[in-house]
């Protein structure tokens, strides 16, 4: 019996030796093989050379699709409420109104429980610059006794202020409203009873008046003392993505002072839902209202840092207080040499956020004022003022 021998020729086709009783099988169409090879080559090329067509990106995702996604129009924003539409219209008109004063002044607004321990120092600071500044004092507990002529008859009607509550914001808005009555006031600086100037008047005046931004501290803190204080009751007007934190001490331009005083929509959200103990959280209104407000209405109009230096290195609820032995030329020189703003989040990893202090695009010292100085530092400060104010 003869045995048939086989050779593999191609893709399952076999040819049988002559003499065999078998017949050759029908060959499979060549076009199927070509089509499979073409598809394989196409897919490989699509991966190596990223697609640039937005339509193709939906079929064959690739690295190039991110470029397309970046070029697509943003998703439509949520529908604004009637109150938001009205608020945004008013804010837009105010922000587009140019300053008209030919004699710009700075409004120095002091938020204090009573008398100001550094009036003598401020008196020395103001001397010779009459007509370039205004003074306003909000004393929340006792009527101040003034020792400087620049502070006499400058007290405004005041109410009690409780730390951490909306009454702090009320006092700030009350100061702004009084200072706005003078049309020449173009910059509005909020100061505490423990604040002192770090430079001479001319330097501070030029720094504040000759720029078109406000120095409002604002940064994103995803930790428990930042976004952890947010309440969903603030929706829809205040979303967690816009919730910000910052120091309350600011210097703002007139247009910004106008919209802060005029605001009711966002203020009411913090009045109702940002207070110590609400929902088991310790939301501090003066740390969140203004940073969040400006993040929503004019994020590009603020510097995101405060011009008032505070030392939080002790990591306590309140910043470090400087005593007489702490006040030296070296301390003041170190503060005035800082030109990078630093924020530390309240997460366990304590993320550090840094950005340069840019004044009209030029990196300059961040701080014009500093706190918290105890009353016992006055003599040292008076002695040093002629030196440190000329840095």
């Amino acid at each position: 019996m003869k045995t048939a021998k086989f050779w593999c020729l191609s893709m399952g086709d076999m040819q049988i030796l002559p003499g065999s009783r078998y017949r050759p099988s029908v060959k499979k169409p060549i076009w199927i093989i070509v089509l499979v090879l073409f598809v394989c080559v196409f897919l490989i090329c699509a991966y190596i050379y990223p697609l640039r067509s937005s339509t193709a990106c939906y079929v064959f995702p690739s690295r190039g699709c991110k470029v397309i996604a970046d070029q697509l129009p943003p998703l439509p924003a949520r529908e604004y409420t009637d109150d938001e539409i009205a608020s945004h219209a008013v804010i837009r008109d105010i922000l587009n109104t140019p300053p008209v004063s030919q004699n710009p002044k700075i409004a120095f607004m002091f938020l204090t429980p009573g008398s100001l321990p550094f009036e003598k120092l401020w008196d020395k600071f103001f001397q010779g610059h009459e007509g370039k500044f205004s003074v306003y004092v909000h004393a929340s507990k006792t009527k101040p006794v003034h020792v400087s002529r620049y502070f006499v008859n400058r007290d405004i009607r005041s109410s009690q202020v409780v730390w951490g509550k909306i009454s702090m914001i009320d006092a700030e808005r009350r100061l702004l409203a009084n200072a706005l009555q003078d049309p020449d006031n173009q910059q509005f600086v909020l100061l505490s009873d423990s604040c002192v100037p770090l430079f001479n008047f001319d330097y501070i005046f030029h720094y504040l008046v000759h720029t078109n931004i406000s120095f409002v501290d604002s940064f994103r803190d995803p930790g428990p003392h930042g976004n952890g204080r947010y309440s969903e009751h603030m929706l829809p007007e205040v979303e967690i993505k816009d919730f910000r934190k910052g120091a309350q001490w600011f210097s703002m331009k007139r247009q910004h002072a106008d919209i802060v005083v005029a605001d009711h929509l966002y203020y009411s959200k913090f009045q109702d839902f940002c207070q110590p103990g609400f929902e088991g959280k310790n939301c501090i209104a003066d740390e969140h209202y203004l940073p969040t407000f400006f993040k929503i209405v004019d994020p590009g109009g603020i510097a995101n840092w405060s011009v008032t230096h505070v030392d939080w290195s002790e990591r306590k609820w309140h910043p470090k207080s400087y005593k007489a032995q702490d006040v030296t030329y070296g301390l003041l020189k170190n503060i005035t040499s800082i030109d990078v703003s630093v924020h530390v989040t309240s997460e366990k990893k304590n993320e550090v956020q840094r950005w340069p202090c840019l004044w009209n695009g030029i990196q300059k010292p961040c701080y014009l004022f500093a706190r918290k100085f105890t009353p016992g530092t006055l003599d040292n400060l008076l002695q040093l003022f002629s030196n440190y104010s000329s840095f």
Side-chain angles (χ1 to χ4, degrees):
M1 180 177 178
K2 294 182 180 180
T3 303
K5 296 182 181 180
F6 300 88
W7 286 268
C8 292
L9 296 180
S10 65
M11 300 295 292
D13 292 330
M14 294 183 294
Q15 184 175 350
I16 306 174
L17 290 172
S20 169
R21 56 181 178 162
Y22 297 98
R23 296 288 182 270
S25 60
V26 179
K27 293 184 179 181
K28 295 181 179 179
I30 302 266
W31 67 268
I32 296 178
I33 302 171
V34 174
L35 179 62
V36 170
L37 290 174
F38 177 77
V39 171
C40 291
V41 170
F42 175 78
L43 292 175
I44 292 171
C45 290
Y47 180 80
I48 296 175
Y49 303 100
L51 296 167
R52 299 297 177 185
S53 166
S54 59
T55 303
C57 279
Y58 290 103
V59 182
F60 302 107
S62 74
R63 293 169 296 176
C65 291
K66 184 179 185 304
V67 177
I68 299 299
D70 291 341
Q71 296 173 353
L72 292 174
L75 293 174
R78 63 174 175 81
E79 186 176 359
Y80 289 127
T81 64
D82 289 343
D83 288 341
E84 284 180 291
I85 294 172
S87 176
H88 292 175
V90 172
I91 289 172
R92 183 185 64 246
D93 285 349
I94 292 175
L95 293 179
N96 289 335
T97 302
V100 295
S101 174
Q102 300 298 318
N103 180 37
K105 296 194 297 186
I106 298 176
F108 291 87
M109 308 180 304
F110 292 86
L111 185 58
T112 176
S115 295
L116 294 163
F118 297 107
E119 269 195 33
K120 289 183 178 180
L121 180 64
W122 286 103
D123 184 272
K124 193 172 183 180
F125 172 79
F126 289 136
Q127 282 180 14
H129 302 286
E130 293 77 2
K132 291 186 175 182
F133 66 92
S134 303
V135 173
Y136 303 87
V137 180
H138 184 291
S140 59
K141 292 184 178 180
T142 61
K143 184 174 177 59
V145 176
H146 297 298
V147 297
S148 167
R149 62 190 176 98
Y150 301 118
F151 289 81
V152 174
N153 297 324
R154 302 310 301 167
D155 301 336
I156 69 169
R157 184 183 62 81
S158 306
S159 296
Q160 185 179 8
V161 173
V162 179
W163 179 83
K165 294 192 174 182
I166 198 68
S167 58
M168 186 73 77
I169 302 298
D170 294 338
E172 295 176 8
R173 285 157 55 104
R174 194 174 295 118
L175 279 163
L176 286 171
N178 278 269
L180 281 167
Q181 294 183 56
D182 185 341
D184 287 333
N185 286 335
Q186 297 300 310
Q187 280 284 339
F188 301 76
V189 183
L190 182 68
L191 301 160
S192 77
D193 56 311
S194 67
C195 282
V196 301
L198 293 173
F199 292 91
N200 61 41
F201 185 91
D202 288 331
Y203 181 91
I204 291 177
F205 184 86
H206 184 268
Y207 195 111
L208 296 179
V209 171
H210 295 284
T211 188
N212 195 36
I213 61 171
S214 293
F215 297 93
V216 177
D217 196 26
S218 179
F219 73 104
R220 182 179 179 273
D221 180 0
H225 301 311
N227 284 5
R229 297 170 173 176
Y230 173 79
S231 171
E232 291 187 350
H233 290 287
M234 294 183 176
L235 290 170
E237 292 85 359
V238 180
E239 301 177 69
I240 192 169
K241 68 180 179 65
D242 296 321
F243 198 69
R244 292 294 185 270
K245 181 180 180 180
Q248 73 179 105
W249 313 106
F250 60 75
S251 176
M252 64 176 63
K253 63 182 183 179
R254 187 175 184 91
Q255 294 94 327
H256 282 163
D258 277 327
I259 63 175
V260 169
V261 171
D263 175 50
H264 173 73
L265 176 63
Y266 300 102
Y267 166 84
S268 64
K269 295 293 182 177
F270 286 84
Q271 181 183 38
D272 295 338
F273 308 119
C274 181
Q275 51 188 283
F278 182 76
E279 295 182 330
K281 305 172 183 178
N282 282 314
C283 187
I284 311 300
D286 60 81
E287 292 183 2
H288 296 285
Y289 167 59
L290 286 180
T292 303
F293 175 69
F294 282 108
K295 172 61 176 69
I296 296 172
V297 303
D298 192 20
I302 62 173
N304 294 314
W305 86 84
S306 168
V307 288
T308 299
H309 177 267
V310 182
D311 185 350
W312 288 99
S313 62
E314 296 179 344
R315 309 295 296 167
K316 296 179 180 179
W317 278 102
H318 296 283
K320 178 180 179 178
S321 293
Y322 296 109
K323 297 178 173 57
Q325 61 269 25
D326 300 320
V327 178
T328 63
Y329 179 85
L331 169 69
L332 302 173
K333 181 68 173 177
N334 287 338
I335 295 175
T336 56
S337 66
I338 298 172
D339 60 3
V340 175
S341 175
V342 178
H343 295 92
V344 181
T345 66
S346 58
E347 296 172 297
K348 287 185 178 179
K349 61 180 181 180
N350 293 135
E351 176 191 353
V352 179
Q353 302 175 14
R354 291 184 174 88
W355 50 79
C357 295
L358 298 179
W359 180 87
N360 293 344
I362 304 170
Q363 190 164 357
K364 284 200 171 188
C366 301
Y367 304 115
L368 306 179
F369 313 97
R371 63 185 300 267
K372 300 176 68 169
F373 289 83
T374 57
T377 62
L378 176 60
D379 290 339
N380 286 2
L381 288 167
L382 285 171
Q383 185 177 359
L384 290 168
F385 181 75
S386 59
N387 290 325
Y388 77 74
S389 65
S390 60
F391 287 152

